[in-house]
Amino acid sequence: MDFELRQAREKLEREQRERVQRAKAKAERERRAKAEAARRRDALEASHRERRLDAARAQEEADQKMEEAMQMGKGISFSRMFEALRYDGPGDKIKLPPSSFKELSDEGALDKGPMYFKLSKVRDNVPGASQEQGTQEATCCGVLEFTAREGSAELPPHVWNNLFKSDSPDVPLIEVRYVSLPKGNYAKLKPEGVGFSDLPNHRAVLETALRNHATLSENDVVVVNYGQLQYKLKVLELKPASSVSVLETDVEVDIEGSDSVLDNEENQHVLVPLAIGKVESSIVEEGKFRCYKFSVEDNLSEKGSFWAC
């Protein structure tokens, strides 16, 4: 009898211990489930909060860009991304697609006179790239016509070479933004190389070359062709802004430094333009020489170029 009672008591105690263990295990599972649910809820709320912040930042940046575009365009907002293509032509006037003409017309840009644009290279954000590498290169230009293929903008050599100074990507992408530019009243340029100052009336030659331009921007390089010779001048300073319009305005031009071949004996190989009827005199040391280039027209109105040392 005692044995049976003891067995019954042990069984009861065992069942109670098992019930207590199951209760503890259930409570632990519930605690873990609640903790996991709370963790997921906090993570979801944090994700939503971050998304809201990202959206707010993106909206703020978009509003800021819109405000900047409106300020730069004096009330006109036009900014598009195009594939850049080259075309042969003088000056700094680009070609845009017909859809751009409609957008600009709807914005009222045609009523504000000549249209100017700021062109910027679109760079990929490569992880680990330095801030200097991410700096956008930019220049300004006018527009020639709206006949480019949709999705593309055609650039003359002057604009292309100033925008893609360091590299020319396989698929060059550019941002074209409408801007309002002040009329320029001062420009300082510096010849790259030698010989430009030796041109007869070189300032008039430069002014003639600039007639093909609608704009000038600091750090741009302007190419001046004189017969078969080509000269490059870098824009060092502009007033009243770093990019200006040169249409229908008088610009005071300063040419910095002397690039005369006559002042540098190391550049004897450079052909100095020689004007017929103008006396040129200089002293040349023994064993040295100086070369001149000149053109002669005969009675048949045929023109030939010659050079002599």
Side-chain angles (χ1 to χ4, degrees):
M1 188 72 175
D2 293 339
F3 176 74
E4 293 177 353
L5 289 175
R6 187 171 60 253
Q7 277 188 329
R9 186 175 59 253
E10 290 176 353
K11 180 180 179 182
L12 180 61
E13 292 175 352
R14 185 170 61 251
E15 290 176 350
Q16 289 177 345
R17 285 194 302 270
E18 290 176 353
R19 283 197 297 269
V20 170
Q21 291 176 353
R22 286 196 297 269
K24 288 183 177 179
K26 181 179 179 181
E28 180 64 19
R29 287 195 300 270
E30 291 177 352
R31 185 190 67 78
R32 290 181 179 180
K34 289 181 179 179
E36 179 65 17
R39 186 190 66 79
R40 291 183 177 181
R41 184 175 61 253
D42 292 343
L44 186 60
E45 290 178 356
S47 176
H48 288 168
R49 187 165 52 249
E50 186 65 26
R51 289 181 181 177
R52 288 194 296 269
L53 291 174
D54 289 342
R57 284 193 291 264
Q59 184 62 43
E60 184 179 357
E61 291 178 1
D63 293 342
Q64 184 178 357
K65 287 184 177 180
M66 177 64 72
E67 183 178 355
E68 292 176 354
M70 295 294 285
Q71 291 177 351
M72 293 176 65
K74 296 293 181 67
I76 296 176
S77 175
F78 175 86
S79 179
R80 295 293 179 269
M81 188 181 300
F82 295 111
E83 177 186 357
L85 304 175
R86 293 192 62 159
Y87 84 91
D88 290 331
D92 68 340
K93 298 181 178 65
I94 66 173
K95 298 179 182 180
L96 293 175
S99 60
S100 298
F101 177 83
K102 184 178 185 308
E103 292 182 47
L104 289 164
S105 178
D106 293 342
E107 289 275 348
L110 303 183
D111 301 329
K112 294 184 177 293
M115 289 182 284
Y116 308 107
F117 300 90
K118 180 180 180 180
L119 275 58
S120 304
K121 291 173 59 175
V122 177
R123 291 184 177 275
D124 295 330
N125 293 327
V126 180
S130 66
Q131 185 175 0
E132 183 178 354
Q133 290 174 335
T135 303
Q136 286 188 332
E137 296 178 11
T139 188
C140 288
C141 65
V143 60
L144 180 65
E145 55 191 35
F146 295 87
T147 59
R149 172 173 55 83
E150 289 296 336
S152 67
E154 299 183 17
L155 281 53
H158 169 83
V159 178
W160 182 281
N161 293 334
N162 281 299
L163 194 58
F164 300 102
K165 296 177 181 178
S166 56
D167 60 345
S168 181
D170 295 334
V171 183
L173 295 178
I174 60 173
E175 180 188 18
V176 179
R177 183 187 298 270
Y178 177 92
V179 294
S180 177
L181 296 181
K183 290 184 178 293
N185 53 40
Y186 174 82
K188 179 188 290 186
L189 295 89
K190 182 176 182 179
E192 295 186 346
V194 296
F196 179 74
S197 298
D198 295 317
L199 293 177
N201 201 2
H202 59 277
R203 290 184 178 273
V205 174
L206 176 59
E207 291 176 2
T208 300
L210 292 179
R211 288 173 188 167
N212 292 317
H213 290 255
T215 70
L216 281 179
S217 296
E218 290 181 357
N219 296 318
D220 275 1
V221 175
V222 178
V223 176
V224 177
N225 294 307
Y226 184 80
Q228 297 179 351
L229 303 178
Q230 188 177 84
Y231 302 92
K232 295 181 179 180
L233 294 90
K234 185 174 184 178
V235 182
L236 299 181
E237 182 182 356
L238 294 169
K239 293 180 181 179
S242 59
S243 293
V244 298
S245 165
V246 293
L247 294 177
E248 301 177 356
T249 182
D250 293 328
V251 180
E252 178 188 353
V253 178
D254 271 350
I255 299 178
E256 184 178 89
S258 174
D259 67 323
S260 174
V261 176
L262 303 178
D263 295 337
N264 193 336
E265 295 183 356
E266 296 180 357
N267 295 291
Q268 300 177 58
H269 62 283
V270 178
L271 298 179
V272 180
L274 182 64
I276 302 299
K278 178 183 177 182
V279 178
E280 294 282 352
S281 62
S282 61
I283 299 175
V284 181
E285 297 180 6
E286 183 178 356
K288 297 184 179 295
F289 58 88
R290 185 161 293 130
C291 297
Y292 293 90
K293 172 181 171 57
F294 60 95
S295 300
V296 176
E297 295 185 6
D298 59 18
N299 295 331
L300 298 178
S301 299
E302 293 182 352
K303 187 174 181 179
S305 296
F306 305 89
W307 66 275
C309 294

